[in-house]
Amino acid sequence: MEREDAIRKLKALEGKDMVSLARQYDVTVWKEDRKNKGWAGHVLERYLGLPINSAQSPNFGSWELKIVPLKRLTNGAIAVKETMAITMIDPYNVANTPFEQSHLLAKLKKAVVCARLYESQNEDRSLLVRVAAFDLNDRAIYEQVRRDYEETRNCILTCGFDCLTGAMGVLVQPRTKGAGHGSTSRAFYARTQFVAKILGIEKG
C-alpha cells in the first residue's frame, strides 16, 4: 500500500474510538490482568491489511507506521504521553552500520505517525486524534538524529552495549526496551519533544 493511500484511509478513523475498533478487528487489549501494550498499533495494521509483526524493516516496505499516545493536561492542552519506540538495537548491526545504511534511518525517513488520546489505564476508550506524515528531510533534525545514532554506535564500539543509557541522545535515545525489570534489550526511542515535532504539537 502506498503511503498516500494509507494516510487517506487512516484519516477516515480520526475521531473514532480505537477500543471499539480493537473489538471489530479481534485485537486483544487485555488478557486477564495484562495489557497488550501494542494493541493500538495492531488495530491499525489490521485495518490497513498488514500482518502483525515487529520486523526491523519499515512495515509497509518503503514507509513505517507508528502510533503514540497523547494525554490531556490539567489546563486542557494535549501533550505527548511517552517516548516512541522506533527500532530494536542489535549491537553487532549498529556497531558495523553507519547511520546512512541504518535501520533507524530506514524507519524514520518516510513514516506515518498516528496519535491516540490516552484516557486511563483501563483503556475503556481511546480516540484516534491525529494522522501525520513525517519525512526526515529537515536538515537540522536529520543531522541531530545522525549524531544521536553515531553517539550510540561509538558507545557500543568503545565501551560496550551495556554502557548505553537513556541519558544519551538529544532527539533519539538508546534505552531499555520494556519496563526494565531485568531486561537487557535496548531500542532507539524518539524523545517526547521529537514526537511532538513529528506531530506538529507543542510539548506539555
Side-chain angles (χ1 to χ4, degrees):
M1 177 180 288
E2 296 297 325
R3 183 171 71 160
E4 290 69 24
D5 295 331
I7 290 172
R8 187 164 47 250
K9 195 170 181 183
L10 289 166
K11 280 188 172 293
L13 294 182
E14 286 182 339
K16 295 189 180 301
D17 176 24
M18 295 199 64
V19 178
S20 298
L21 291 169
R23 288 193 287 270
Q24 181 179 338
Y25 289 98
D26 198 24
V27 172
T28 300
V29 178
W30 288 94
K31 187 173 183 178
E32 299 177 347
D33 62 345
R34 294 178 65 87
K35 182 161 65 175
N36 170 17
K37 291 195 68 174
W39 73 268
H42 295 167
V43 168
L44 297 184
E45 288 175 341
R46 286 197 171 162
Y47 171 72
L48 294 175
L50 181 75
I52 294 172
N53 69 73
S54 57
Q56 283 205 305
S57 300
N59 47 17
F60 279 84
S62 64
W63 58 276
E64 174 76 3
L65 175 66
K66 294 289 186 187
I67 184 163
V68 294
L70 305 180
K71 62 182 179 181
R72 191 179 299 281
L73 305 179
T74 53
N75 64 3
I78 299 294
V80 176
K81 179 178 177 292
E82 58 192 43
T83 57
M84 179 181 76
I86 304 171
T87 189
M88 294 297 295
I89 297 175
D90 175 340
Y92 178 84
N93 178 276
V94 172
N96 290 281
T97 307
F99 176 67
E100 288 73 14
Q101 284 83 48
S102 68
H103 289 300
L104 179 64
L105 177 58
K107 292 269 190 177
L108 286 177
K109 67 182 179 183
K110 191 173 184 182
V112 176
V113 181
C114 301
R116 67 181 181 93
L117 188 60
Y118 172 89
E119 296 191 6
S120 73
Q121 177 64 18
N122 290 336
E123 300 278 26
D124 296 321
R125 190 177 81 136
S126 182
L127 300 181
L128 185 72
V129 294
R130 188 179 291 261
V131 177
F134 177 74
D135 299 294
L136 198 55
N137 53 13
D138 181 295
R139 199 63 198 171
I141 294 176
Y142 180 99
E143 286 299 325
Q144 185 57 62
V145 172
R146 185 186 63 77
R147 286 193 292 271
D148 291 347
Y149 176 88
E150 294 298 347
E151 180 185 9
T152 295
R153 185 181 177 214
N154 185 58
C155 179
I156 293 172
L157 287 168
T158 60
C159 184
F161 180 69
D162 291 341
C163 292
L164 296 179
T165 166
M168 298 167 60
V170 174
L171 296 179
V172 176
Q173 60 178 166
R175 68 169 175 80
T176 304
K177 175 74 172 174
H181 300 300
S183 173
T184 57
S185 62
R186 289 176 172 79
F188 285 111
Y189 283 82
R191 292 184 179 275
T192 55
Q193 66 267 32
F194 186 24
V195 179
K197 283 180 182 291
I198 291 171
L199 292 171
I201 62 174
E202 295 295 326
K203 182 187 176 188

